[in-house]
Amino acid sequence: MGIQLESQNLFASIDMGTNSFKLLIIRFEPATAKFTTVHKHSVAVVLGRNSSSSSTPLISPDSQFRAIEALTKFQEILGSHTVTQIRVVGTSAIREARNQSVFINEVKEKLGFDIQVKVLSGVEEARLIYFGVLQFLHIYDKKVLTVDIGGGSTEFVIGDNGDVVYADSLKSGHLTLTEKFGENDLVGLRSYVRELIEVSGLIGKVKELGFEVAVGSSGTIRAIEKAIWCGYGCHDGKREGLREKRSRNWWWFSRDELRGLVERLCGVGISETEKARRDGFFGRRSEFIVAGAVLLEEIMELLGISEMEVSGYALGEGVVAEMVSEAFPGIDLNANVRWKSVMRLAMRFNGNDRMENGVQCSAIAKVIFEGLRKCNKVFGNQFAVDICLDEKDLEYLEAACMLHNIGLYLGKKGYHKQSYNILMEHNQLDGYTGDENELIAQLVRHHRKKFPKFEWHLQGFSKEKSGIICSILRISVIIQQHKLLKLREIEVNNSSEGLVLALVKKRNQPMLSDPEKSLVKDIETEIGKEVDLFEVVFHQKLLVVCHMDC
């Protein structure tokens, strides 16, 4: 039986923002309501640069050129993932541009886009941001004030049980404020922001409606939260250890912590060393981070926000969530609290590359898991009843795949043990029992090095079943780590000698080069070490075959 590694139900959004263009590809599984990021790509187009200096903003030819380049790259990525369900949205810079229609027509002509580019109003943008936030944080049943700082505008939305109660947009963001005030006119910046918020009527409306939780989204607020998490704003330069963070939400900061960060960023007589440190930490956001941090500090002060939770998802995820709701009417996007917590924990410690590694590992593991389960039926259920694999087992396996590499955040040496410690010492997986959390932690701990003896006593988890899941995880990690093969299919078959796991190259790829053939041999050798362990736990021989050509 051949099983494709590429999953169905892929959805993509392209957010043409004022500062960055962002491509997002999501896999949604309707049976389990799992909402998983497959790929993210961001390009600093800076579409709104210099546009705010005119009363009639224009998208410049240089900005148009950068936009076309970014979208061309996005097309290549979408083609490689075979995504057909795509939605493209434009925000502040396009919304305000006098040459909006010229720009959109240029995009369609140069790229052959047959997809409609939807230019969002500020209120529509705020609504979709709230929808995206709900896919990350477990706050559906709370009254939530969401703040999203973009390059050219800042969105505010109050939502309650999935419905938007109030939405508004201010025509100022980190890019436009930086262009207007630079980094040195902090007095002018603060005065301008305060006046803008006060005359907008936002303060009175927020006080009238009230909120239980304040949430920040977007790259600027995430960068601020990361800086606070890493101790960037601490004057002694010490980074708070994970043990000290044990009692707090890991996607959160207080107004006092933000104030400390702003003082560090805006201190008098900042040295060249400190500027270099800031550039190194914030990367391309360094140019705009002062304006973004001051803007957020004023918002929190004026709206009475003492602490703010932070969402790793925003507009792009909201656009995809709306697409999913349209594709699967009646689906409850907020049903899978457990998977959301797995994704939050993985994103806390992993950047985009390691997140993609986890997603790929999870996809490989699922293919092997389902293939073995089907072979079990073909064999006539030869295996003992207590080791029959079910959906819960697949959930534990996929969670372990997503979390196996989080320990790399603390260093490569012994990272599997660090991954285990993070899971065991910090209660961050919502909806899982203590035994379930420990099972996932043990799987993560033993995805490499020594195979576990599974001598613990966890209610409902047999030694045999745990061994099978661990064996699948170890094999999946090995396959994922050898990326040069660019595998697209895995076949799991039964034969007279036992089970056959065949790794098959993408059919339209050329024959393997000599270095790739050498890599195939390395994979066969490395997986070969796992075959004996698999036979012990699964009571069947496993033959691993890497096809050399298509």
Side-chain angles (χ1 to χ4, degrees), residues 383-525:
F383 313 122
V385 174
D386 65 346
I387 61 170
C388 287
L389 302 173
D390 57 31
E391 291 303 315
K392 274 288 187 70
D393 300 320
L394 177 58
E395 180 187 356
Y396 304 139
L397 173 60
E398 290 184 304
C401 287
M402 290 304 306
L403 300 172
H404 77 276
N405 56 0
I406 58 176
L408 285 168
Y409 177 84
L410 299 171
K412 191 170 183 179
K413 185 177 180 180
Y415 76 87
H416 55 301
K417 296 179 182 178
Q418 296 289 4
S419 299
Y420 169 84
N421 291 337
I422 290 170
L423 279 160
M424 290 300 294
E425 295 180 10
H426 310 281
N427 185 24
Q428 295 291 321
L429 292 184
D430 296 339
Y432 288 89
T433 67
D435 282 352
E436 287 176 319
N437 186 85
E438 185 173 348
L439 173 64
I440 294 169
Q442 291 286 357
L443 292 171
V444 163
R445 162 68 179 82
H446 293 99
H447 81 270
R448 64 195 289 261
K449 303 293 185 180
K450 293 182 180 179
F451 196 82
K453 296 180 180 179
F454 292 107
E455 294 177 342
W456 67 79
H457 301 286
L458 300 179
Q459 186 175 359
F461 305 112
S462 68
K463 177 179 178 179
E464 291 82 0
K465 180 179 283 193
S466 301
I468 291 171
I469 298 173
C470 189
S471 182
I472 296 172
L473 172 63
R474 290 167 70 95
I475 292 171
S476 302
V477 170
I478 292 171
I479 295 173
Q480 187 281 319
Q481 287 176 344
H482 291 78
K483 295 181 179 180
L484 284 179
L485 284 177
K486 299 177 182 177
L487 297 173
R488 289 298 181 272
E489 287 187 0
I490 294 178
E491 294 178 355
V492 182
N493 302 301
N494 59 297
S495 71
S496 58
E497 298 181 63
L499 296 170
V500 178
L501 176 63
L503 310 182
V504 185
K505 270 182 61 65
K506 193 175 181 180
R507 287 188 173 85
N508 62 355
Q509 292 290 320
M511 292 182 63
L512 296 180
S513 64
D514 288 340
E516 287 176 320
K517 288 179 181 179
S518 175
L519 184 61
V520 167
K521 293 297 184 183
D522 291 343
I523 293 178
E524 289 177 331
T525 300

Side-chain angles (χ1 to χ4, degrees), residues 89-106:
V89 298
T91 58
S92 176
I94 300 175
R95 184 164 64 232
E96 304 297 330
R98 183 160 52 89
N99 59 342
Q100 174 192 127
S101 59
V102 173
F103 170 72
I104 291 175
N105 288 335
E106 181 80 1

